Amino acid sequence: MNTTAFQHGNAKRIRIHVLPTKRFKTFAISLYAGIPLAEDTVTPTALTPFVLRRGTVTYPETRQFREQLEQMYGAGFGFDVYKRGNYQMVHFRMDTINDSFVKSQESLLASSFAFLGEVVTRPVLEGGRFRSSYVQAEKENVRKKLESIVNDKIRYASERCIEEMCRNEPYRLHALGQRQDLEKITPESLHDGYRKWLSEASMDLYVVGDTTLEEVEKLVNAHFDLGSEPGITYKTETPVRQSGVPRTVVEKMEVSQGKLNLGLRTSITYGDDHYAAALMYNGILGGYPHSKLFLNVREKASLAYYCSSRYDGHKGIGTIQSGIEVQNYEKALDIIKGQLEEMRSGRITDLEMSQTKAMIRNLLLEIEDSAFEMIAYDFNRQFSGKDRSREELLQQVEDIQVADVQAAASTFDLDTIYFLKGQKEE
């Protein structure tokens, strides 16, 4: 029997995914709400969960909101806003102790659903709009978060590389929105956008713990004030391939260290049968401490303070990040390009293969130790439409040969070279 298989159902307009298990002492609850990334909605959508966490109809003051979590034996509540493919995701999470471990008059799982349902669907209002003081405070909070990206030059360079590479695509937008759009948001306009988001977002709710699909469906029906009309349907990403000479972008700021970032495009996405080979490609290239970029650019040539790669299987892009002295730009770029060519030529050692397989294997095996990691893995399946179990992916990684990695490498094309350097540098 597969003990990591989610059961799937529906209630209201929410897809429900439940993993009944007694392995954990807590209930892990996740609600994913996604809409397409768009210029006019990205900033208000990002701001919305910040305002929702300030107060609800039953707990209108932020202090009351937090006290209720404490009364639920210190239940955890949080949210993230991020991109997945060309979609903007708002992800709410709750972590509540299993009823069997405490003496509570009410079911803590039911209390958690009552709380989360009210946060999402019954926020505190003033005159039919969001509370002005909450909106103003959270606008400032989001503005500071966006400014902190500019101040963190590693993050800034990474975001700018993506922005330049995807300049004609929704993916160029930052998940937290745009600073210039915050000022024009009012309590009225934000509430109007929230109602639209609530009616259109694709919603997936997950529970891992000692419960059943039937119980969760009843709790959703009881506590989520939603209609039954389905939201948007996630569409499979069609990768955009690069053709021609890579585009180079040079930007100057007050920095003491140059940031050299490269963007690559690939036809392989999460739903592709060659996804495991792309994972191996990224791992060997720059995903781990034994990788080619780390060893050849940082360790052997001593040209970079850091050098690594990432692969976004939902978007079909790879990125390379490095911090270098400005005068080492040409040398570092040549060595990085050399590692890309090594991958394309299949110059990959048995040790690189075995070490990378071991790293990926450990990461996949560790998923079962965390309820939220199990949830995240299953949501990847739901989002992509690819029903690939963790065990299947493990086996696919084990079966990968050098020729498979080389074939994957041939699909990764250099698209954008982004270089951030000091204002006085020539």
Side-chain angles (χ1 to χ4, degrees), residues 166-305:
C166 302
R167 61 194 181 281
N168 297 319
E169 303 167 64
Y171 197 75
R172 75 186 185 282
L173 298 167
H174 192 278
L176 284 178
Q178 304 176 100
R179 281 181 295 171
Q180 66 269 24
D181 291 341
L182 283 169
E183 191 59 37
K184 62 186 179 185
I185 294 177
T186 65
E188 295 89 348
S189 70
L190 186 63
H191 186 254
D192 289 343
Y194 154 75
R195 296 302 303 174
K196 191 172 187 292
W197 168 78
L198 199 62
S199 66
E200 295 182 358
S202 180
M203 292 191 176
D204 289 87
L205 188 141
Y206 280 84
V207 182
V208 173
D210 189 10
T211 184
T212 64
L213 177 62
E214 292 73 24
E215 181 181 20
V216 172
E217 287 177 336
K218 290 178 182 178
L219 290 171
V220 169
N221 280 318
H223 298 295
F224 280 78
D225 186 13
L226 292 167
S228 58
E229 289 297 317
I232 59 102
T233 300
Y234 295 126
K235 296 181 180 178
T236 304
E237 178 77 12
T238 302
V240 179
R241 292 294 300 276
Q242 161 68 8
S243 59
V245 179
R247 180 167 173 261
T248 299
V249 177
V250 178
E251 186 173 354
K252 294 183 178 182
M253 293 182 74
E254 287 292 342
V255 295
S256 57
Q257 180 191 107
K259 312 296 180 193
L260 174 59
N261 287 50
L262 279 66
L264 302 97
R265 294 187 184 270
T266 175
S267 58
I268 302 175
T269 59
Y270 187 90
D272 195 286
D273 290 338
H274 302 291
Y275 175 69
L279 284 182
M280 285 290 293
Y281 168 84
N282 178 67
I284 295 169
L285 176 65
Y288 304 110
H290 67 267
S291 302
K292 288 181 180 293
L293 290 176
F294 185 87
L295 292 178
N296 289 284
V297 183
R298 184 183 185 277
E299 297 294 293
K300 293 181 181 179
S302 299
L303 289 176
Y305 299 97

Side-chain angles (χ1 to χ4, degrees), residues 78-207:
F79 68 89
D80 291 313
V81 184
Y82 52 85
K83 296 185 294 188
R84 182 152 294 178
N86 283 331
Y87 293 89
Q88 182 181 20
M89 310 300 304
V90 179
H91 177 200
F92 297 95
R93 300 179 313 279
M94 287 199 71
D95 192 13
T96 309
I97 194 165
N98 191 315
D99 296 310
S100 62
F101 293 97
V102 295
K103 295 180 179 180
S104 176
Q105 293 181 343
E106 297 181 356
S107 162
L108 290 177
L109 181 61
S111 297
S112 297
F113 269 84
F115 185 85
L116 180 59
E118 189 162 319
V119 169
V120 176
T121 66
R122 299 182 66 209
V124 60
L125 303 177
E126 289 179 339
R129 64 182 189 180
F130 282 128
R131 184 173 283 185
S132 299
S133 59
Y134 289 169
V135 173
Q136 192 57 41
E138 295 307 324
K139 281 168 65 174
E140 182 65 14
N141 189 15
V142 173
R143 183 186 66 79
K144 289 180 179 178
K145 287 181 179 295
L146 288 169
E147 286 181 348
S148 71
I149 296 172
V150 179
N151 296 330
D152 181 345
K153 295 303 184 288
I154 294 177
R155 285 183 65 196
Y156 176 78
S158 178
E159 292 291 341
R160 285 287 294 122
C161 183
I162 294 293
E163 188 177 342
E164 290 292 341
M165 181 166 65
C166 302
R167 61 194 181 281
N168 297 319
E169 303 167 64
Y171 197 75
R172 75 186 185 282
L173 298 167
H174 192 278
L176 284 178
Q178 304 176 100
R179 281 181 295 171
Q180 66 269 24
D181 291 341
L182 283 169
E183 191 59 37
K184 62 186 179 185
I185 294 177
T186 65
E188 295 89 348
S189 70
L190 186 63
H191 186 254
D192 289 343
Y194 154 75
R195 296 302 303 174
K196 191 172 187 292
W197 168 78
L198 199 62
S199 66
E200 295 182 358
S202 180
M203 292 191 176
D204 289 87
L205 188 141
Y206 280 84
V207 182

